[in-house]
Amino acid sequence: GAGVSQSPRYKVAKRGQDVALRCDPISGHVSLFWYQQALGQGPEFLTYFQNEAQLDKSGLPSDRFFAERPEGSVSTLKIQRTQQEDSAVYLCASSYGGYQPQHFGDGTRLSIL
Amino acid sequence: GQQLNQSPQSMFIQEGEDVSMNCTSSSIFNTWLWYKQDPGEGPVLLIALYKAGELTSNGRLTAQFGITRKDSFLNISASIPSDVGIYFCAGPPSTGGGNKLTFGTGTQLKVEL
């Protein structure tokens, strides 16, 4: 497809489990962003990659959150030892870089029981 | 985290009516973006504004970048049922932070047939 693809669409995990969320950006987009969206709120920034380099991870809420983009294309957001407060929609966005508009995927809805 | 203030928070309108919503910030923005989000989907870019005072249209949508660079407005003319959804303003603040987006609190639009 032509858009940003995220998988899985839904993920249910027990508290304490590790989860991995995948993002496949639009082809040719060098910039990739992860956002967290709580119910009824706007998305909030987590981390940003330019190609394979993670240039900003100031929004990651704790050291349980880790993101990577090893080949400058697909990215994975990993959450270790999940907690109930990690329940949210995780959105991925990509752009051509600079201040070009970001295009979003449909997100992964994570529920921690 | 920091969010932009949007008003109104929600609105009920009759089909065919015009709609206005706005977004304000305490800090200056160099770019304003307007997104629409439907349930279970990611935000979809509607309009991008890059210059103070700029007025841009996309079909029935018109958005303006405020002269003070601290606000933006979105107007929808002759609303139709598919306009239902949540509208977010967003932008990268000019005071550092690169191109990660700060999102508004959202305006939920409901259309009565």
Side-chain angles (χ1 to χ4, degrees):
Chain A
V4 177
S5 178
Q6 291 188 246
S7 61
R9 288 297 315 276
Y10 304 92
K11 177 69 177 177
V12 179
K14 292 182 179 179
R15 188 174 57 182
Q17 288 183 330
D18 299 347
V19 298
L21 312 180
R22 176 188 168 105
C23 173
D24 205 332
I26 293 172
S27 178
H29 279 193
V30 299
S31 296
L32 186 146
F33 303 80
W34 285 97
Y35 293 84
Q36 180 189 60
Q37 186 174 25
L39 190 64
Q41 304 288 320
E44 292 199 4
F45 171 80
L46 293 176
T47 188
Y48 157 59
F49 291 85
Q50 185 170 310
N51 295 306
E52 68 278 5
Q54 189 174 21
L55 299 185
D56 188 343
K57 53 181 180 180
S58 62
L60 296 176
S62 77
D63 58 7
R64 295 186 296 104
F65 287 70
F66 173 77
E68 60 184 5
R69 194 186 185 198
E71 298 179 358
S73 178
V74 171
S75 177
T76 303
L77 176 67
K78 298 179 179 178
I79 309 173
Q80 298 176 322
R81 304 181 303 282
T82 52
Q83 303 292 319
Q84 282 192 320
E85 62 262 28
D86 299 336
S87 296
V89 174
Y90 290 85
L91 294 164
C92 177
S94 69
S95 78
Y96 281 114
Y99 288 97
Q100 292 298 309
Q102 296 173 30
H103 297 270
F104 284 80
D106 285 336
T108 294
R109 182 175 295 276
L110 177 65
S111 297
I112 305 300
L113 305 179
Chain B
Q2 177 190 9
Q3 284 196 322
L4 304 170
N5 294 313
Q6 288 186 244
S7 64
Q9 183 176 355
S10 66
M11 53 195 311
F12 250 113
I13 60 170
Q14 297 280 341
E15 184 179 5
E17 285 185 356
D18 296 344
V19 174
S20 292
M21 61 188 79
N22 73 305
C23 181
T24 60
S25 171
S26 58
S27 56
I28 288 172
F29 280 69
N30 289 326
T31 299
W32 285 99
L33 306 170
W34 283 93
Y35 287 89
K36 177 175 182 276
Q37 187 173 29
D38 292 330
E41 298 183 9
V44 174
L45 182 67
L46 300 174
I47 290 180
L49 302 160
Y50 298 101
K51 188 176 177 181
E54 179 181 354
L55 185 71
T56 296
S57 292
N58 178 9
R60 294 179 296 106
L61 277 61
T62 301
Q64 184 161 23
F65 193 141
I67 292 292
T68 65
R69 296 165 62 196
K70 292 184 178 181
D71 56 9
S72 180
F73 306 87
L74 176 68
N75 297 315
I76 305 172
S77 63
S79 57
I80 60 178
S82 63
D83 290 334
V84 165
I86 303 177
Y87 292 78
F88 289 104
C89 60
S94 65
T95 52
N99 50 0
K100 61 187 178 187
L101 296 179
T102 296
F103 277 81
T105 49
T107 292
Q108 184 165 25
L109 183 62
K110 302 175 183 178
V111 178
E112 291 182 335
L113 299 176

